[in-house]
Amino acid sequence: MAVSLSSSSTFTPITLQPKLKPIHGVRTVKFGYSVNSHGVSLRRSAVVVSAITGASGTETAGLLETVKVSDLRGNEIPISDLWKDRKAVVAFARHFGCVLCRKRAAYLAEKKDVMDASGVTLVLIGPGSIDQAKTFVEQTKFEGEVYADPNHASYEALKFASGVSVTFTPKAALKIIESYMEGYRQDWKLSFMKDTVERGGWQQGGILVAGPGKNNISYIRKDKEAGDDPPVEEILKACCA
């Protein structure tokens, strides 16, 4: 069908912008279509979709300003000191006995050589006592740095998910079975310690990439449910690209 416009006709330009579903951590290219009196033109703009949602990196750092964690010797340090002078991948475990967290620790440790080559430090934080953290290290032989957050301050500041409904899910159950088949095991003694049962048993974690610089948080991913691991390639892109 042909459409003719007279010289007296008025034409109001319109812009059509298709909706694209963002994928965290992936560079997305958006296309816009402009319709004007000269026809239809295609324009393109590149948009980087960050894994940080809601608060910006600076705002996220602000939430952690007063948070402290403990190293294995019992020394309390501000959590931001972990990335103040270096870049770090910081994994937040559900609790130190969690089988899914042990699998997460292993799959991150498998890429430690890549992180080391890029000058990136691998860190794991768990909600629990220093003794629990030591037991975790002894059992897993985790080669990164491990810190305890006895007061769950970092988890509360970052508003990580928590609750029965995000702990016992069909996907989590399948991942637990997979983990056991791969040789990982839950430490039931750690899992049923008082502080874990009362607070950490339903706690979810996440992964953060930050530094150097206290306010330089470039990536954060909060687990939606137990075992909600992001692709390791996404983490490496955030820390080592």
Side-chain angles (χ1 to χ4, degrees), residues 2-66:
V3 178
S4 61
L5 299 174
S6 66
S7 59
S8 60
S9 300
T10 59
F11 193 96
T12 302
I14 61 173
T15 299
L16 304 178
Q17 179 65 60
K19 294 183 178 179
L20 297 180
K21 183 178 180 181
I23 302 175
H24 294 325
V26 178
R27 184 177 177 84
T28 303
V29 177
K30 289 187 177 182
F31 292 91
Y33 302 87
S34 297
V35 183
N36 51 42
S37 58
H38 300 290
V40 179
S41 63
L42 175 67
R43 56 183 175 81
R44 182 178 71 174
S45 59
V47 177
V48 177
V49 181
S50 171
I52 293 182
T53 58
S56 68
T58 301
E59 291 170 338
T60 301
L63 298 174
L64 296 168
E65 188 173 0
T66 61

Side-chain angles (χ1 to χ4, degrees), residues 20-216:
L20 297 180
K21 183 178 180 181
I23 302 175
H24 294 325
V26 178
R27 184 177 177 84
T28 303
V29 177
K30 289 187 177 182
F31 292 91
Y33 302 87
S34 297
V35 183
N36 51 42
S37 58
H38 300 290
V40 179
S41 63
L42 175 67
R43 56 183 175 81
R44 182 178 71 174
S45 59
V47 177
V48 177
V49 181
S50 171
I52 293 182
T53 58
S56 68
T58 301
E59 291 170 338
T60 301
L63 298 174
L64 296 168
E65 188 173 0
T66 61
V67 172
K68 293 184 178 181
V69 293
S70 298
D71 65 20
L72 298 183
R73 294 181 297 275
N75 301 312
E76 273 195 348
I77 60 172
I79 191 172
S80 58
D81 279 7
L82 300 179
W83 57 80
K84 179 179 66 173
D85 300 316
R86 61 187 183 179
K87 178 172 280 190
V89 172
V90 185
F92 293 84
R94 291 187 55 248
H95 59 81
F96 285 116
C98 171
V99 62
L100 297 175
C101 302
R102 291 166 181 238
K103 182 175 181 178
R104 169 174 288 185
Y107 103 108
L108 289 174
E110 287 176 357
K111 300 298 181 181
K112 190 175 182 297
D113 58 337
V114 178
M115 298 180 195
D116 289 343
S118 299
V120 178
T121 303
L122 178 58
V123 176
L124 184 140
I125 296 174
S129 68
I130 297 168
D131 286 340
Q132 288 175 317
K134 289 180 178 179
T135 300
F136 173 86
V137 173
E138 292 169 1
Q139 292 176 341
T140 65
K141 311 302 180 187
F142 182 68
E143 296 181 356
E145 298 179 10
V146 177
Y147 297 85
D149 184 357
N151 299 318
H152 300 231
S154 59
Y155 291 77
E156 292 174 359
L158 292 170
K159 298 180 174 60
F160 284 135
S162 182
V164 176
S165 63
V166 292
T167 301
F168 297 112
T169 68
K171 286 184 179 179
L174 287 174
K175 289 192 174 183
I176 290 172
I177 293 172
E178 290 173 359
S179 297
Y180 266 81
M181 292 178 67
E182 293 169 5
Y184 299 99
R185 293 293 181 267
Q186 183 101 356
D187 185 310
W188 295 106
K189 183 178 179 180
L190 290 180
S191 301
F192 282 99
M193 284 187 172
K194 184 178 179 180
D195 61 340
T196 302
V197 172
E198 288 183 349
R199 300 190 62 177
W202 317 125
Q203 181 67 61
Q204 307 307 314
I207 295 179
L208 176 150
V209 176
K214 288 187 175 183
N215 296 328
N216 186 16

